[in-house]
Amino acid sequence: MSGPLAGVVVVDLSRVLAGPHATMMLADLGARVIKVEQPGTGDETRNWGPPFVGEDQVSTYFLACNRNKESITLDLKSSSGVDTLTRLVRHADVVVENFRTGVLDRLGFSMERLHELNPGLVILSITGFGHDGPEGGRPGYDAIMQGEAGIMSVTGPPEHPSKVGLSIADILAGMNGAYGVVSALYERTRTGRGTVVRTSLLASVVGAHSYQGTRWTVGHDVPVSIGNDHPSIAPYGTFRCADGVIQIGVANQGLWRRFAPIVELDPDDPRYATIPDRSARREELTGDIEKALAGDTREGWLARLADEGIPAGSIRSIDEVYEWDQTRSQGLVIEVDHPQLGPIELPGPALRFDGAAPREHTAPPTLGQHTDAVLAWLDGLEA
């Protein structure tokens, strides 16, 4: 492996999405990620679908969060499985788990035991609601957390709380977990000691509330859903043209003074003179803007707005995003050779490093694909 984390060994005991997303990010950075799966079934997302693809009915969900990893199968309730995991832990830099609270302890691998085996080990533990507190042991999937942690209350049309169309709580938890692991590895270079990094879906969503959170904690105003509009800025959202909808973002006075004449408005109109004025009269302003937009197509308006430097965009379907030249130019689509499916395209990593050659990516593994190779590696280390 090449990359900033080349040489780092990660034992991945996680499954579904939050933990696997974290370990995929570490793998993208060059870490060797050894994914430990239950014999016969593996990560439950191997069976999540549709869609499934190919003669072997491979889950596209599993493919989304397991690139650049190796898979071994271990029965952690057997003595041989416990022995192999013990060996892995001794030679690892990082262990990642997202079991329910107490499960790892019952398997004989408490945090204390892991650090007895390897004092320099960085342990990432991800839960739903947190590791302690009155609901610390409560299980929680992404959709549950989107409701419990407030996302649904500020998403979608006002009359119908909606979840985000992606598993955003899981993905945020995975990102925070990877960020925590990298930080702990850096700390280890100074102290020589490992540590336990803890995060949760709840913490990750609340930590992403941003201005919606301070709207309540400081402003004592409860945010509500306002569809595609912005709670503090106008015009900022979706607007109807002659043949459909585009997005426009006018986030400061300079942009407003350039934008207003394009849609036949006076930038000094006292109704819309400042951002608070425009926000207070959002519906009226939207109506005035859409009167002008009705005179041309989406393509025509996007071209005119681009000429004036006004942030605007179309609303692409997922297939259009992956066919877009800009997406591909950023390395956001990668091709890998899957042992069952052959060449396939996957979403690519979000980070690039100046001066680094594009790395070779590997396909998400089949169940237990690397068991023999990993055991041989352990034997070689301990010979």
Side-chain angles (χ1 to χ4, degrees), residues 110-111 150 156 160 167 250 278 291 300 302 308 313 316 327 347 364-365 373:
S110 65
M111 301 300 164
H160 185 67
S167 296
V250 180
R278 294 192 290 276
K291 287 178 186 176
L302 289 173
E308 295 296 329
R316 298 176 189 269
T327 300

Side-chain angles (χ1 to χ4, degrees), residues 134-159:
E135 300 188 47
R138 181 179 169 189
Y141 281 115
D142 179 272
I144 308 291
M145 196 57 61
Q146 289 202 36
E148 291 278 22
I151 291 180
M152 292 179 67
S153 73
V154 293
T155 304
E159 68 279 2

Side-chain angles (χ1 to χ4, degrees), residues 34-340:
I34 300 170
K35 183 178 179 71
V36 177
E37 300 189 71
Q38 179 72 21
T41 56
D43 187 322
E44 51 256 59
T45 61
R46 289 186 182 274
N47 300 302
W48 283 11
F52 298 100
V53 291
E55 293 182 1
D56 295 298
Q57 293 293 279
V58 178
S59 163
T60 60
Y61 195 116
F62 180 84
L63 295 176
C65 49
N66 288 288
R67 63 177 177 256
N68 296 324
K69 301 180 187 180
E70 301 169 64
S71 170
I72 69 170
T73 54
L74 295 179
D75 181 359
L76 297 182
K77 296 181 181 179
S78 71
S79 59
S80 62
V82 169
D83 177 66
T84 300
L85 181 57
T86 299
R87 297 169 68 197
L88 280 170
V89 168
R90 286 195 175 112
H91 297 290
D93 298 283
V94 179
V95 167
V96 176
E97 67 91 15
N98 62 352
F99 292 111
R100 285 187 63 181
T101 303
V103 170
L104 204 58
D105 292 12
R106 292 194 293 273
L107 292 172
F109 291 96
S110 65
M111 301 300 164
E112 294 77 15
R113 175 59 178 157
L114 290 171
H115 275 147
E116 285 177 8
L117 293 169
N118 185 344
L121 191 68
V122 171
I123 305 166
L124 169 61
S125 182
I126 302 175
T127 59
F129 288 83
H131 293 77
D132 48 24
E135 300 188 47
R138 181 179 169 189
Y141 281 115
D142 179 272
I144 308 291
M145 196 57 61
Q146 289 202 36
E148 291 278 22
I151 291 180
M152 292 179 67
S153 73
V154 293
T155 304
E159 68 279 2
H160 185 67
S162 303
K163 73 180 187 69
V164 179
L166 303 171
S167 296
I168 193 66
D170 278 320
I171 292 170
L172 286 171
M175 293 173 69
N176 281 328
Y179 161 66
V181 165
V182 171
S183 302
L185 287 172
Y186 178 74
E187 182 184 42
R188 192 180 68 176
T189 66
R190 295 184 291 104
T191 67
R193 297 190 303 273
T195 191
V196 180
V197 178
R198 301 184 189 274
T199 192
S200 67
L201 275 64
L202 174 63
S204 297
V205 172
V206 173
H209 279 173
S210 186
Y211 54 82
Q212 295 284 41
T214 53
R215 185 168 181 169
W216 164 248
T217 62
V218 181
H220 303 295
D221 180 30
V222 179
V224 296
S225 173
I226 53 174
N228 293 324
D229 290 327
H230 191 285
S232 304
I233 306 169
Y236 193 111
T238 53
F239 298 86
R240 290 188 298 272
C241 302
D243 64 344
V245 175
I246 62 172
Q247 296 190 88
I248 301 171
V250 180
N252 60 53
Q253 287 299 99
L255 287 172
W256 169 250
R257 298 199 69 81
R258 295 206 304 274
F259 172 75
I262 301 173
V263 291
E264 302 172 11
L265 292 173
D266 178 359
D268 296 315
D269 185 326
R271 295 177 301 164
Y272 308 139
T274 67
I275 290 175
D277 290 333
R278 294 192 290 276
S279 295
R281 296 176 175 83
R282 182 180 287 110
E283 291 186 8
E284 184 180 357
L285 174 60
T286 296
D288 287 343
I289 291 171
E290 290 186 339
K291 287 178 186 176
L293 297 184
D296 202 351
T297 63
R298 290 172 294 174
E299 183 177 353
W301 277 111
L302 289 173
R304 291 173 66 182
L305 293 167
D307 287 343
E308 295 296 329
I310 306 298
S314 57
I315 299 173
R316 298 176 189 269
S317 61
I318 294 293
D319 59 316
E320 290 173 333
V321 172
Y322 286 99
E323 294 303 320
W324 189 17
D325 289 343
Q326 185 63 20
T327 300
R328 291 180 173 269
S329 76
Q330 301 303 298
L332 300 177
V333 184
I334 60 174
E335 184 173 296
V336 297
D337 190 15
H338 191 275
Q340 293 169 312

